[in-house]
Amino acid sequence: MSLARTLRTLEDLTLAGLVPAAEASALAPVGHAYAIALPEGLAGLIDTADRDDPIARQYLPTLAELDVQPHERPDPIGDARHAPVLGLVHRYPDRVLLKVTPVCPVYCRFCFRREQVGPEKGEALSRSDLAAALDYIAAHDEIFEVILTGGDPFMLSAARARDITAALEQVPHVQVIRWHTRMPVAAPDRVTEAY
C-alpha cells in the first residue's frame, strides 16, 4: 500500500495551487500558530476557482484564525478543568473523553482543540498515562461511554488501537466505546483490515 503525500506547510499548499503565492507570506503567522496537514487526495477535491469552496474553508489556513477576541478563552470548552488525569476529560457523569494522541491526518481550521493538536504538541499518551486514565475509568462505575479522540485516535498503530479497545472492554460498566476519527475521509489509504 502506498500512502498519499500530505501537504504540511504553506509552501506545500502554494505549490499545490491551493494558496496564492501572494497570500502565503501573510499567512505565515497562522502556519506558526496552528498545525497544517492536508492529504493530497482530500486537497484534490478543492475547487480552487471557488473562493467559498466548503472543503477549502474547512482545511486551508486563513488570517481569520488569528482574530482572537478579548472574551475568548484559550481552553474554549473547558477540558482542563474537567481533566482528573492526563489525557482524560470527565465533563459529564456517564462518559469521558480519552485523548490518546495530539496528531491528526488533517487539521480542521475550526478545531476547538487546535492549540493542543499538531505534531509539535507531543506524543501519544505514554503507557503509564494511559494506565492512569484506564484506572480512573475502572474506578468510576458511572462511566458507561468512552469516546476516544485527540487529535485523531486512528493515527495510532492498529496494534495500539486494538490494545486500548481490549483494555476498555475489560471494564464491566463501559458499554460504549466510540472512536472519533476523520481517517476514512481524510486518509482512506491508511484504513486497513483488522487483524
Side-chain angles (χ1 to χ4, degrees), residues 8 35-38 58-60 102-109 111 117-119 151:
R8 297 191 180 279
I36 296 171
L38 181 59
Q58 213 171 148
Y59 303 120
L60 296 181
V103 295
C104 296
V106 63
Y107 293 101
C108 303
R109 307 325 298 176
C111 180
V117 297

Side-chain angles (χ1 to χ4, degrees), residues 113-179:
R113 287 194 181 101
R114 64 188 179 169
E115 291 88 359
Q116 303 169 28
V117 297
E120 71 289 345
K121 300 299 181 181
E123 302 292 322
L125 276 183
S126 69
R127 296 208 181 277
S128 61
D129 290 331
L130 179 60
L134 293 171
D135 288 346
Y136 179 91
I137 293 166
H140 289 81
D141 59 6
E142 71 275 17
I143 299 171
F144 84 93
E145 180 177 16
V146 176
I147 303 162
L148 290 114
T149 188
D152 190 314
F154 278 1
M155 292 296 286
L156 298 174
S157 69
R160 189 109 194 259
R162 179 199 61 218
D163 292 348
I164 292 170
T165 301
L168 289 168
E169 287 175 334
Q170 297 302 309
V171 181
H173 53 268
V174 172
Q175 300 297 307
V176 177
I177 302 170
R178 205 167 15 141
W179 289 79

